[in-house]
Amino acid sequence: MREFDHRAVAALLESEPVEAFRLCNDHLRLHPNDASALFIVGHILAKAGRFCLPWATFKRCVELQPKMAPAWNNLGMSMQECGEFEQARDAFKRAVELSQSPEHFANLAANYSAQGNYSEAKRWCRKALEKDPEHS
């Protein structure tokens, strides 16, 4: 891969995550502010169960690309996995503002549920199901 091809690297996530990680790191040495490459690195770290590590990566993504809804969502996931539920809720709400994705609604619902606020959790679950009746 001569030039960094974000789509090609993203395609490697499932089959060759170590190679995708290596390619992103190589690219980020020269282009440290590439939000898409940072997002891929954060995703790989999260899939490896290293949730507190991608927190900083996703935080940098949203600093560079404040309208990147998936980065806000994944930032929320990282924060929540590290026990920072209120900060996570704020990140999920930002993702919801930017994208009406059922996934983002569901993650906000899970956040409320984890905090024992079941009425809000139900409200956000309903919104997720309105967007996608088959959503888990």
Side-chain angles (χ1 to χ4, degrees):
M1 222 180 279
R2 271 203 152 130
E3 280 190 43
F4 189 76
D5 183 343
H6 295 86
R7 287 187 179 143
V9 173
L12 291 173
L13 287 176
E14 296 302 318
S15 62
E16 298 180 53
V18 173
E19 180 64 8
F21 190 79
R22 185 191 67 73
L23 290 168
C24 284
N25 276 333
D26 289 349
H27 176 71
L28 287 166
R29 281 189 192 96
L30 298 173
H31 307 281
N33 293 326
D34 184 332
S36 295
L38 287 166
F39 183 83
I40 293 168
V41 167
H43 181 77
I44 292 167
L45 291 170
K47 284 189 68 103
R50 309 272 194 224
F51 296 105
C52 292
L53 290 173
W55 179 338
T57 305
F58 291 128
K59 186 172 192 279
R60 184 66 181 139
C61 283
V62 300
E63 288 169 353
L64 293 167
Q65 296 287 325
K67 294 184 179 184
M68 189 181 209
W72 281 105
N73 183 67
N74 288 9
L75 176 61
M77 294 296 289
S78 295
M79 291 172 161
Q80 187 161 299
E81 288 295 328
C82 294
E84 296 296 333
F85 293 96
E86 289 179 28
Q87 289 182 49
R89 185 177 315 121
D90 291 341
F92 290 137
K93 285 181 178 180
R94 184 70 178 124
V96 164
E97 288 171 12
L98 294 167
S99 168
Q100 299 291 299
S101 164
E103 183 75 21
H104 302 158
F105 290 139
N107 287 337
L108 186 53
N111 177 275
Y112 278 114
S113 180
Q115 292 293 284
N117 188 339
Y118 304 116
S119 61
E120 276 299 295
K122 284 181 190 177
R123 184 169 80 88
W124 289 100
C125 281
R126 284 187 189 103
K127 287 183 180 243
L129 290 172
E130 285 172 12
K131 290 288 180 184
D132 179 5
E134 300 299 317
H135 195 280
S136 61

